Amino acid sequence: MSRLIKQGRIIEDNWQAPDADASVTGSHQILDLEQWLALEDKAGRAVMLEPGQAPAPLFDHLGDIPLVAVNFPVFTDGRGFSYGRELRERGFSGELRACGHFIRDQMTYLHRCGFDAFQMAEESGLEEAVASLADFSEHYQAAIDQPLPLFRRRH
Amino acid sequence: MYVYDEYDQTIVDQRVAQFRDQTDRFLAGKLTEGEFLPLRLQNGLYMQRLAPMLRIAVPYGLLNSTQLRKLAEITRVFDKGYAHISTRQNVQLNWPRLEEVPDILAQLATVQMHAIQTSGNCIRNTTTDQYAGVATDELEDPRPYCEIIRQWSTLHPEFAFLPRKFKIAVCGSRQDRAAIHAHDIGVELVANASGVVGCKILAGGGLGRTPVIGSVICDWLEKKHLLTYLEAILRVYNQNGRRDNKYKARIKILVKAMGVDAFREAVEQEWDQLRDGPTTLTDEEIERARSFFTEPAYRELDADSVKERLDAASASDPIFGNWVRRNTVDHRVAGYRIVNLSLKATGYAPGDITDEQLELVADLADEYSFGEIRSTHQQNLVLADVQADDLYALWQRLQKAGLATPNHGYLTDMICCPGGDYCSLANAKSIPVAEAIQCRFNDLDYLYDLGPIELNISGCMNACGHHHIGHIGILGVDKKGEEFYQVCLGGSQSKDASIGKILGPSFSQQDMPDVIDKILATYLDLRTEEELFLDTYRRVGIEPFKERVYVKAD
């Protein structure tokens, strides 16, 4: 079982990574977008988005999805930041998980974009990575973690 | 100018701490070169040919004298005693040591400065008119909106890993001195039919390998929607901009590929989601931003008698009179002039300034210009609020320091990137070409006869020297390991913006002064009485220039 950071703590993961060949029936199997789209009953089923897979097809099912994973095959591809924020802005309240090759220095931004779980390709640095979530205590912009921009909060 | 409160200071201080930790981890081998790369770039740190280069942010080109003195001290303690003004109005250090960069940033933070997002694939320093607030042709001061954009774009969580760099410029005057057509987003303050000032939004302009003039995405936008609209544009770009080829990754390529109408539609669709949300600007916020850019305590002066005295001083010292005529500009307030300090003296790299010059300018700003200084995208400095009666005393001190070359706006006031002498991206050197041209054309009467000419030099395709939008543009190219220079003509950075056209095959470095000479001679032969270089070029086209330059020797 792999470990990940969720809501600021390191926990054991009970979800299976997507696998195009895997049976899609397992209750803790994350599906790729194609598998997920093919499902008739989407209730309780988790899905992973790759870069280039904008989240629009998920918008009508947000209440049914317990987990959306967003994969970062390379950390310099920032499309997933927008995906996360768009999902949260439209009311997604399940787990939003960043997966893959993002680096800890991006976690504070990912968190601001609505990600609450971080599954890093390299698990050895998780303890140190948690600290990165606290890199900044104040922000200018509105985002998911702080829906009011600083200019509406300054005093 | 804008003054940090505890929030701004906290953010900048925490960024310094974050970067210190990142640098430590890199030096300890815990971050790979590839991982550290975007992190250091987002803090303005390049690895150059000989040493790292640190680009310090000067938001919309505004500095105070305390900041200038700090910059002087930093160049002395951490560098080689000089700095360079970039074409994004920023300040560059050419010789810092990587391990000392966090200390430099900590020093900068003590004077409300930083290097955040001066590089990397993120939203860069917002630029504007160097005459903002004092220009005679201004509809509204753009700086409050620049500051609003600065805060919104600083450490924006969604847009730190864009397909490519992203540059925004704002202009609020009739003449465009901020080159908004050559930016990823250009914002122009304009009045609508009822006279209400709002924002015209352009997108998809840019230089680099594929120069494009920006397209109008929105004719008029209520000011309160500025940030949500920008956010919508960025969101469309972040998700749809190309990431497979860095030369096709700028927003200009996306706008071209989608077509302006489809791009606008996609932006409007995103905007529907964001519009009227919490990022919508409040009247209080706009007022707060404006409150930092109020008028200094101008004296009430009698314009006529001031002019009389200045004319008399100019007449009795023609060298002074010439400098006034060439390097100072009309001010909105009677009795004041805008003063351009030329960083284009022959024999010095364009845009370079020494620690002592920095300190002198700080003193002069305190004495004569309410303690403020502006940097320009033409790589000069400006004292924006000088009483005409003080010009003589100011000029004498500038002259002694080599800061009074009376060439502002003329051929030798060229824009020039650091080029192959420093930059590891460059294909060719640019500073020696600039110097050779400055040496050849150092006769001031000849320069004035030529009239205002913008000559821009870039050492490579990345076009930091804005060669595409110079009336004469020079681009360094690499041909089988040798440095050559391509010339283009007819570019313009004004509201009638245009991209220069390539003259023909490239030239060797030693031929460049002759080539420029032939281009200028063609213009002088063909011009009508009132025509500037660009007017003549637009009337006669490129052919006569081509014929003269490439004529075969008999």
Side-chain angles (χ1 to χ4, degrees):
Chain A
M1 214 173 263
S2 68
R3 298 188 311 148
L4 55 81
I5 298 167
K6 188 168 177 187
Q7 286 162 356
R9 294 187 309 119
I10 296 167
I11 60 157
E12 299 280 320
D13 184 31
N14 48 12
W15 288 92
Q16 298 295 316
D19 180 347
D21 301 325
S23 146
V24 299
T25 52
S27 64
H28 278 81
Q29 176 66 46
I30 303 174
L31 306 177
D32 64 30
L33 184 61
E34 200 181 327
Q35 292 168 331
W36 182 84
L37 285 170
L39 288 177
E40 265 182 41
D41 180 12
K42 294 178 165 57
R45 308 309 302 274
V47 60
M48 180 181 282
L49 298 174
E50 298 290 335
Q53 296 178 334
L58 278 55
F59 291 164
D60 286 341
H61 308 275
L62 295 179
D64 295 334
I65 309 176
L67 163 69
V68 177
V70 177
N71 192 28
F72 290 84
V74 291
F75 77 100
T76 48
D77 187 332
R79 283 177 277 191
F81 291 81
S82 286
Y83 298 165
R85 208 167 160 202
E86 292 207 326
L87 285 164
R88 290 296 193 208
E89 280 173 2
R90 284 166 175 79
F92 177 61
S93 60
E95 177 179 326
L96 186 58
R97 179 186 294 191
C99 299
H101 293 268
F102 63 92
I103 58 176
R104 63 178 260 198
D105 302 278
Q106 294 176 303
M107 282 173 46
T108 174
Y109 287 163
L110 285 166
H111 174 64
R112 299 215 67 214
C113 287
F115 289 87
D116 57 354
F118 305 90
Q119 187 163 31
M120 306 181 89
E122 178 57 62
E123 281 181 29
S124 61
L126 287 187
E127 282 77 9
E128 287 175 325
V130 174
S132 293
L133 286 168
D135 278 352
F136 291 94
S137 62
E138 198 44 85
H139 315 278
Y140 285 118
Q141 315 77 9
I144 303 306
D145 62 331
Q146 170 48 271
L148 292 180
L150 181 58
F151 66 76
R152 289 181 187 268
R153 296 181 285 113
R154 265 187 215 269
H155 48 79
Chain B
M1 70 188 275
Y2 186 72
V3 180
Y4 285 9
D5 65 9
E6 78 227 56
Y7 294 101
D8 304 284
Q9 193 67 50
T10 299
I11 289 169
V12 168
D13 289 344
Q14 290 180 344
R15 180 67 180 116
V16 174
Q18 187 193 39
F19 189 71
R20 192 182 290 282
D21 175 56
Q22 289 167 348
T23 307
D24 287 348
R25 279 188 282 135
F26 172 69
L27 293 171
K30 290 187 191 162
L31 267 175
T32 65
E33 177 64 51
E35 288 168 340
F36 188 50
L37 176 86
L39 304 179
R40 66 173 163 76
L41 286 180
Q42 301 214 355
N43 231 327
L45 188 64
Y46 284 79
M47 294 301 182
Q48 294 291 53
R49 222 154 244 198
L50 306 167
M53 182 272 279
L54 179 65
R55 188 180 292 148
I56 297 162
V58 181
Y60 38 96
L62 208 54
L63 289 154
N64 62 35
S65 54
T66 308
Q67 292 173 328
L68 221 54
R69 290 192 186 94
K70 179 56 81 177
L71 287 172
E73 181 194 321
I74 287 172
T75 67
R76 233 179 350 251
V77 175
F78 297 100
D79 205 282
K80 294 192 177 180
Y82 68 97
H84 173 78
I85 309 292
S86 82
T87 53
R88 284 208 76 66
Q89 301 179 288
N90 290 322
V91 171
Q92 298 183 174
L93 302 180
N94 282 314
W95 309 95
R97 278 182 290 279
L98 170 61
E99 56 277 20
E100 289 183 344
V101 169
D103 296 333
I104 297 175
L105 296 174
Q107 285 293 312
L108 288 170
T110 64
V111 294
Q112 310 193 346
M113 292 185 82
H114 57 76
I116 296 171
Q117 289 163 221
T118 51
S119 180
N121 295 334
C122 51
I123 304 171
R124 303 286 190 87
N125 183 31
T126 299
T127 51
T128 191
D129 181 3
Q130 66 267 28
Y131 302 153
V134 294
T136 52
D137 66 343
E138 189 168 273
L139 179 68
E140 192 177 323
D141 190 341
R143 293 172 300 174
Y145 307 96
C146 292
E147 177 56 28
I148 284 169
I149 294 170
R150 181 193 76 80
Q151 296 194 15
W152 163 78
S153 60
T154 296
L155 307 177
H156 196 298
E158 191 178 341
F159 305 128
F161 294 88
L162 296 169
R164 199 76 178 85
K165 58 187 169 183
F166 202 93
K167 300 177 176 182
I168 302 176
V170 187
C171 138
S173 52
R174 252 198 321 281
Q175 227 194 318
D176 174 17
R177 284 173 292 267
I180 60 167
H181 292 79
H183 280 77
D184 296 286
I185 291 179
V187 178
E188 182 183 352
L189 298 171
V190 290
N192 65 6
S194 352
V196 181
V197 176
C199 307
K200 179 173 169 179
I201 311 285
L202 291 87
L207 299 176
R209 193 164 285 237
T210 316
V212 182
I213 300 295
S215 306
V216 177
I217 300 300
C218 177
D219 286 309
W220 190 88
L221 181 74
E222 239 184 298
K223 285 173 183 169
K224 67 174 182 181
H225 295 311
L226 177 61
L227 293 185
T228 53
Y229 202 86
L230 295 185
E231 197 144 298
I233 294 176
L234 262 302
R235 200 172 260 192
V236 170
Y237 172 57
N238 188 38
Q239 295 192 47
N240 301 294
R242 282 181 64 171
R243 290 174 184 266
D244 57 331
N245 179 342
K246 80 179 236 189
Y247 298 113
K248 297 190 185 236
R250 295 286 289 271
I251 193 175
K252 62 194 172 189
I253 305 290
L254 178 66
V255 174
K256 282 232 152 173
M258 290 177 77
V260 177
D261 293 332
F263 178 80
R264 181 184 300 116
E265 210 169 290
V267 169
E268 296 276 334
Q269 210 178 329
E270 284 293 349
W271 191 40
D272 270 348
Q273 187 69 24
L274 298 164
R275 176 181 189 153
D276 297 323
T279 299
T280 307
L281 289 166
T282 57
D283 291 342
E284 295 74 31
E285 174 60 5
I286 293 175
E287 277 319 305
R288 190 184 97 91
R290 289 170 75 154
S291 72
F292 291 102
F293 303 94
T294 50
E295 276 198 4
Y298 292 124
R299 289 178 58 192
E300 228 173 277
L301 298 164
D302 175 49
D304 292 337
S305 61
V306 169
K307 186 176 179 312
E308 237 168 70
R309 288 194 294 276
L310 184 59
D311 287 348
S314 296
S316 73
D317 189 338
I319 300 178
F320 166 68
N322 182 52
W323 173 80
V324 170
R325 184 168 160 207
R326 310 299 172 182
N327 282 27
T328 76
V329 178
D330 287 344
H331 194 288
R332 195 171 54 73
V333 176
Y336 285 81
R337 303 283 298 169
I338 302 167
V339 176
N340 285 284
L341 313 189
S342 173
L343 302 183
K344 310 295 174 62
T346 303
Y348 296 90
D352 276 11
I353 183 165
T354 67
D355 56 339
E356 285 173 1
Q357 287 174 324
L358 284 165
E359 280 165 347
L360 173 74
V361 174
D363 292 346
L364 296 175
D366 281 342
E367 285 173 57
Y368 299 115
S369 198
F370 301 100
E372 286 186 9
I373 303 96
R374 289 124 187 260
S375 54
T376 80
H377 85 271
Q378 289 94 347
Q379 305 175 288
N380 291 314
L381 294 177
V382 167
L383 295 177
D385 295 295
V386 180
Q387 267 190 57
D389 287 330
D390 291 333
L391 285 175
Y392 196 79
L394 171 64
W395 169 73
Q396 287 181 308
R397 292 169 68 187
L398 287 174
Q399 222 191 10
K400 272 188 214 137
L403 294 168
T405 312
N407 62 349
H408 178 250
Y410 293 95
L411 182 77
T412 53
D413 181 17
M414 51 188 76
I415 293 178
C416 178
C417 74
D421 289 300
Y422 295 103
C423 177
S424 51
L425 301 172
N427 289 323
K429 294 189 174 71
S430 39
I431 295 170
V433 176
E435 195 180 345
I437 294 170
Q438 282 178 328
C439 287
R440 168 70 76 91
F441 303 100
N442 63 355
D443 181 89
L444 285 173
D445 290 330
Y446 182 71
L447 287 186
Y448 300 151
D449 183 42
L450 288 169
I453 293 186
E454 292 168 12
L455 190 152
N456 298 355
I457 308 177
S458 305
C460 76
M461 283 293 186
N462 289 306
C464 294
H466 298 178
H467 63 278
H468 302 293
I469 52 171
H471 302 161
I472 301 173
I474 298 175
L475 166 67
V477 291
D478 176 275
K479 279 209 245 173
K480 295 180 187 146
E482 275 193 78
E483 296 183 2
F484 280 85
Y485 297 87
Q486 196 177 69
V487 173
C488 56
L489 298 180
S492 164
Q493 58 171 339
S494 309
K495 279 195 182 160
D496 63 347
S498 55
I499 301 292
K501 209 167 153 185
I502 296 169
L503 186 64
S506 52
F507 310 96
S508 70
Q509 187 178 315
Q510 74 212 39
D511 288 342
M512 284 312 292
D514 285 338
V515 170
I516 299 301
D517 192 35
K518 285 176 189 162
I519 290 167
L520 297 174
T522 311
Y523 157 63
L524 290 177
D525 287 352
L526 296 177
R527 72 174 170 188
T528 61
E529 203 151 324
E530 290 299 304
E531 263 181 357
L532 300 179
F533 180 86
L534 190 62
D535 304 326
T536 303
Y537 171 83
R538 284 181 173 165
R539 179 171 57 78
V540 305
I542 203 163
E543 282 309 320
F545 294 94
K546 215 181 219 169
E547 279 165 27
R548 182 89 162 242
V549 170
Y550 293 103
V551 68
K552 293 229 167 37
D554 290 328

